[in-house]
Amino acid sequence: MPLRLSDKKLALLGAGKLGGILLRAYLRQKLFTAKRVTATVKHGEKASSMGGELKIFVTTDNLKAVKDADIVLLGVKPQVIAEVLKEIAPEVSEKTLVISVAASVPTSYLEQHLGAKVPVIRAMPNTPAAVGCGMTGICRGAHAGPEHLEIARAMFDAVGRTVVVDEKNMDAVTGLSASGPAFAYIILESLAEAGVKVGLPRDVATLLAAQTMKGAASVVLETGEHPAQLKDAVTTPAGCTIDGILELEEGKLRVTLIKAVVKATTRAGELLFEK
């Protein structure tokens, strides 16, 4: 049975692109009750328009938003996280669950700035959450228990799939699944361009490429088979696929993608320290 959070008061600080995606999913699925949800944005004009659209209270005041909140979801950028934590610390306690989606920010950093043994969950969702196909990695801090993980899982399962990892692997989650959609879009775009090159109309080529990538990913998820085995099943002896694979190997696609994830992972660990 899915966990019911309708009796919890949620404060979402930073209802920007990712925060807005999560917020709309929670309201659409009635995971939280609208009258018990508060969100913050930078500008008053946006607060008014978003509040009118979603029928929730939206403000520019983070401290006001977190007052009496059961769950605080931090959707702000890592570069401003220290300022926001200092701002809200007086209104959070060990009874408040704080969930952060700020890349590169460790749970220990959040705990240090909040104090009072506040339970903290660190999460890294990705943008396909917008269509319910997101992937989120989560880990818990020193004061968070299994019940807090259960709440976080329910919140991110609402927009896709969730996996619990050790915190030492969270930057890798960022480099692979958070940055990964951009890498996938480049591959998809290239496949579509190739379709145009060999004579297909662009809209047809894009549809073929997108559905093919979606289908291939679905087979991996639903069968649990190793991608190499599935690749071999498509690759018939002396067929056309093996010639295409040879071109990919000669072009070093495999090693380039590996290096892209490694580079993005390294970068993820640096964001907190930039202003």
Side-chain angles (χ1 to χ4, degrees), residues 3 16 20 33 45 85 93 96 104 114 121 135 163 170-171 189 194 209 218 220 229 255 258 267 274:
L3 185 64
T33 305
E45 185 178 325
L85 293 173
S93 70
T96 313
S104 88
L114 292 171
I121 298 288
M135 184 67 239
V163 63
M170 283 298 290
D171 286 342
E189 181 185 25
S218 295
V220 173
Q229 290 180 293
V255 70
I258 292 171
R267 179 70 177 135
E274 294 186 351

Side-chain angles (χ1 to χ4, degrees), residues 17-29:
K17 185 173 183 180
L18 180 57
I21 288 171
L22 295 171
L23 181 57
R24 285 173 171 80
Y26 299 155
L27 295 173
R28 184 173 60 250
Q29 298 181 30

Side-chain angles (χ1 to χ4, degrees), residues 62-74:
N62 290 324
L63 187 61
K64 185 176 183 179
V66 301
K67 184 175 177 59
D68 299 323
D70 300 300
I71 303 168
V72 175
L73 179 57
L74 297 172

Side-chain angles (χ1 to χ4, degrees), residues 23-24 27 34 37 39 41 44-59:
L23 181 57
R24 285 173 171 80
L27 295 173
V37 174
V41 292
E45 185 178 325
K46 184 174 181 182
S48 297
S49 62
M50 179 176 280
E53 175 201 350
L54 300 179
K55 304 297 186 292
I56 63 170
F57 179 62
V58 184
T59 178

Side-chain angles (χ1 to χ4, degrees), residues 191-209:
L191 289 172
E193 290 289 324
V196 173
K197 172 66 176 174
V198 295
L200 292 169
R202 184 170 296 278
D203 59 340
V204 173
T206 301
L207 175 61
L208 288 167

